[in-house]
Amino acid sequence: MRISAESLTVRRGGRVTLDGASLSLAPGELVGLIGPNGAGKTTLMRAMLGLVAASGHSSLAQLPAARRAHIAAWLPQEREAAWPISVEALVRLGRIPHRRPDADHAQVERALSRMGLTDLRQRPVNTLSGGERARVLIARALAQDTPVLLADEPIAGLDPAYQIATMALFRGLAQDGRAVMASLHDLGLAARHCTRLVLMDRGRIAFDGPPQDALSPERLARIFGIEAHLEMTAEGPVFQPLRVLR
Amino acid sequence: MRLLAALGALCAGLFVAALMIGPAQIGIAESFRGLLAGDGAAGLVMREIRLPRAVLAALIGGCLGLSGAAMQGYLRNPLAEPGLIGVSAAAALGAVIAIQTGFAAAFALALPLSALAAALLAVLLILFMAGPGGGSLALILAGVAVSAFAGALTSLVLNLSPNPFAASEFVFWMMGSLADRSWLHVVIAAPVMAVGAAMMWGIGRGLDALTLGEDAAASIGIGLPGLRLRIVLGVAAMVGAATSVAGAIGFVGLVVPHLLRGRVGGRPGALLPAAALGGAAMVLAADIAVRLVLPGRDLKLGVVMALIGAPVFLHLIWQQRRGG
């Protein structure tokens, strides 16, 4: 399902945190949302979902909440799990919008195995490490089984293997015909795995296009203030930040 | 399910025990005969004294346990308790005003009705101050403010009281008791409690979703403003009604959800019915203890509850610290 946003603007206490952002997300895409801290990545995704009051138009935000929960899953950056419930019970929370208990079990099992959690299923979530908890929360969003997935820094705090595995999983979801958008700080993983990059700077969308064009030396210097090495190899793009420019 | 059945059986057992125990020495067989036939002195004691008292204990305990579980689930904080939104403090203010002005003596239900009216005013004030959003922080702050203000006004009334008896009457009322309560008290409290409990119906899904935080809960289709409104109104109705007929009975709403959380796998939705039954059992047991420990000294239920509740709570904290 294709979703779109037009001139989304969010004001918070006189400050404009999101300034006229327009973009669309189509099935088959894995869009990486990149930009420095405070550029408005989280606000953009929350405004698209209707979780924060915004002017402009968002196709997701105008849906009723119950319907939207069938279309889009949201993985917030805060890794909250308030109670010592089991891994399996937490993943099953993703099935709340669906009132079809017969399909629930299979979806929960699939999400658990995709994130390598089948051995941890009985563990209370408060006994997990930070990275394990992050995987459980990703599995929760996967269990929601929606055509659209928006994830805020999903791979922060994961070990390298799970970072790569999670990006590959997202890419696989996109290839299955879903639309995935994830904010990322690892530009190397973003360049390698995303089909498209959206670059944000001070509340605006500064660039929206193919990964190799997004990470031009000029944009890296102007927006991130860094210099980096980007090379196209047989393995795909390889990106390594080198030094801070300012 | 097995837990609920066990708690239900425990409640039923304690309910029967509460009917059998009291200052009037009535044999078990005679008690049952009095309860069923309703004639003679035994019938009067059973039907007009012990039965309403046991019914009130079960209702109040259930309300406090359910409210505590709902507040902790909604605020995602194991230290939350039903009094947090200021309703019990406001009900106490209503009671002290009724006692002070002599209105309490006007007719039998004057005191509970004033307490209930004050609780209603408090909840309207809290909802107004917390604003239209679904956030929990504004709600806590509004509750703390209303609690503090009601407490200050209560102190002011007592401070200016020319009548020392009114002050001591209020202090005894505040200690919480189910002694000498009648069917009239049941009739005034039960409908309000039922409305409160009905508001809580179906909030389990929302509380479960809130385990993930407010943003994630909203994204899985939970309407947070509606959930908050139902919890505030439900807790206010149940706690306001309980406080207005029995005074302040603390610790039930705090301790019972703690005791049972592990048994339901930590899920806040599943905790709701368990905490209601557990609260009923706890208050029934405490009200039996009140009559057994120091019969004839009118030991107050709220005092016993705190004496039991505080050590239990300390024990739980101790266990948690050791990672149990």
Side-chain angles (χ1 to χ4, degrees):
Chain A
M1 157 157 217
R2 186 182 181 85
I3 62 167
S4 63
E6 267 157 55
S7 345
L8 275 185
T9 299
V10 174
R11 287 186 185 79
R12 268 197 189 143
R15 268 195 65 218
V16 178
T17 51
L18 185 66
D19 190 0
S22 301
L23 85 163
S24 68
L25 185 58
E29 284 193 300
L30 169 54
V31 173
L33 190 56
I34 58 174
N37 293 140
K41 303 185 290 295
T42 303
T43 307
L44 171 60
M45 288 194 281
R46 292 186 72 222
M48 288 169 73
L49 285 159
L51 296 174
V52 60
S55 61
H57 170 87
S58 162
S59 60
L60 276 180
Q62 68 183 17
L63 296 173
R67 174 97 186 101
R68 188 178 63 225
H70 284 266
I71 307 261
W74 165 234
L75 180 66
Q77 189 180 347
E78 292 78 23
R79 270 89 191 248
E80 282 203 59
W83 304 110
I85 67 176
S86 70
V87 166
E88 189 179 344
L90 191 138
V91 172
R92 199 178 295 122
L93 294 179
R95 301 303 301 166
I96 283 179
H98 306 265
R99 292 172 188 259
R100 282 189 48 218
D102 47 329
D104 284 4
H105 185 70
Q107 290 291 347
V108 171
E109 289 304 313
R110 201 146 151 237
L112 284 170
S113 72
R114 273 178 154 169
M115 292 316 293
L117 295 166
T118 40
D119 292 340
L120 297 178
R121 65 167 70 222
Q122 300 300 341
R123 283 267 296 277
V125 286
N126 57 333
T127 64
L128 301 177
S129 76
E132 287 170 334
R133 179 184 286 206
R135 276 155 53 202
V136 174
L137 291 171
I138 294 173
R140 194 286 302 166
L142 294 179
Q144 203 171 332
D145 189 32
T146 49
V148 177
L149 171 62
L150 302 186
D152 199 1
E153 300 198 21
I155 60 169
L158 299 187
D159 63 37
Y162 272 111
Q163 288 196 345
I164 295 170
T166 302
M167 291 307 292
L169 170 69
F170 285 178
R171 185 67 181 261
L173 292 176
Q175 278 161 358
D176 291 346
R178 296 171 205 252
V180 184
M181 183 152 110
S183 72
L184 300 161
H185 278 302
D186 189 319
L187 301 181
L189 283 171
R192 281 182 66 81
H193 295 278
C194 293
T195 58
R196 203 174 103 207
L197 289 185
V198 171
L199 175 52
M200 293 199 69
D201 182 28
R202 283 168 292 176
R204 293 168 180 272
I205 292 178
F207 177 86
D208 182 349
Q212 60 272 23
D213 298 345
L215 301 174
S216 71
E218 180 272 328
R219 277 195 199 92
L220 288 173
R222 179 166 53 84
I223 294 171
F224 288 95
I226 59 169
E227 189 181 321
H229 176 74
L230 176 65
E231 191 180 333
M232 290 298 161
T233 71
E235 285 273 314
V238 172
F239 178 90
Q240 176 63 48
L242 297 176
R243 61 184 70 86
V244 177
L245 289 176
R246 50 192 169 196
Chain B
M1 263 301 107
R2 202 176 301 157
L3 175 71
L4 292 185
L7 286 169
L10 179 65
C11 281
L14 287 165
F15 190 86
V16 172
L19 289 178
M20 296 299 131
I21 295 164
Q25 298 295 329
I26 308 174
I28 291 177
E30 206 186 333
S31 301
F32 274 113
R33 213 175 309 121
L35 189 62
L36 294 177
D39 50 4
L44 194 68
V45 167
M46 294 307 293
R47 283 199 168 179
E48 298 302 325
I49 297 176
R50 290 192 189 168
L51 190 57
R53 182 171 181 163
V55 167
L56 268 186
L59 287 178
I60 289 171
C63 282
L64 293 175
L66 177 58
S67 300
M71 287 300 288
Q72 293 186 2
Y74 174 67
L75 297 174
R76 285 167 290 144
N77 190 328
L79 290 177
E81 55 120 10
L84 204 63
I85 56 171
V87 176
S88 13
L93 176 63
V96 74
I97 291 175
I99 291 171
Q100 186 55 42
T101 55
F103 180 57
F107 58 104
L109 293 177
L111 193 151
L113 285 176
S114 344
L116 211 48
L120 179 69
L121 270 180
V123 75
L124 293 179
L125 186 62
I126 284 161
L127 286 175
F128 173 72
M129 289 196 347
S136 56
L137 186 64
L139 180 70
I140 301 177
L141 293 176
V144 168
V146 168
S147 266
F149 192 56
L153 286 180
T154 303
S155 302
L156 179 71
V157 173
L158 290 175
N159 185 190
L160 298 181
S161 165
N163 176 359
F165 294 108
S168 74
E169 192 186 343
F170 173 72
V171 169
F172 274 114
W173 184 83
M174 272 305 287
M175 287 179 181
S177 173
L178 287 171
D180 308 325
R181 299 305 194 270
S182 67
W183 284 113
L184 275 179
H185 291 92
V186 177
V187 167
I188 180 175
V192 182
M193 290 173 167
V195 169
M199 294 229 173
M200 298 282 197
W201 192 259
I203 62 167
R205 243 163 55 100
L207 293 185
D208 282 345
L210 268 176
T211 303
L212 300 166
E214 290 184 359
D215 232 25
S219 78
I220 46 182
I222 304 299
L224 293 179
L227 181 69
R228 188 178 79 172
L229 186 68
R230 288 171 65 175
I231 289 174
V232 169
L233 290 178
V235 167
M238 289 194 288
V239 175
T243 312
S244 63
V245 293
I249 298 171
F251 276 102
V252 182
L254 183 62
V255 170
V256 168
H258 264 286
L259 281 173
L260 296 170
R261 181 161 290 122
R263 303 294 173 97
V264 295
R267 288 171 301 140
L271 184 58
L272 293 171
L277 290 172
M282 197 170 205
V283 173
L284 278 166
D287 196 42
I288 292 170
V290 161
R291 283 174 273 174
L292 285 180
V293 178
L294 284 175
R297 287 296 307 274
D298 190 23
L299 190 57
K300 296 294 186 190
L301 179 61
V303 178
V304 171
M305 210 70 238
L307 281 176
I308 301 173
V312 168
F313 197 54
L314 284 176
H315 176 68
L316 284 169
I317 295 171
W318 184 251
Q319 268 188 331
Q320 224 161 38
R321 215 185 70 181
R322 292 189 312 180

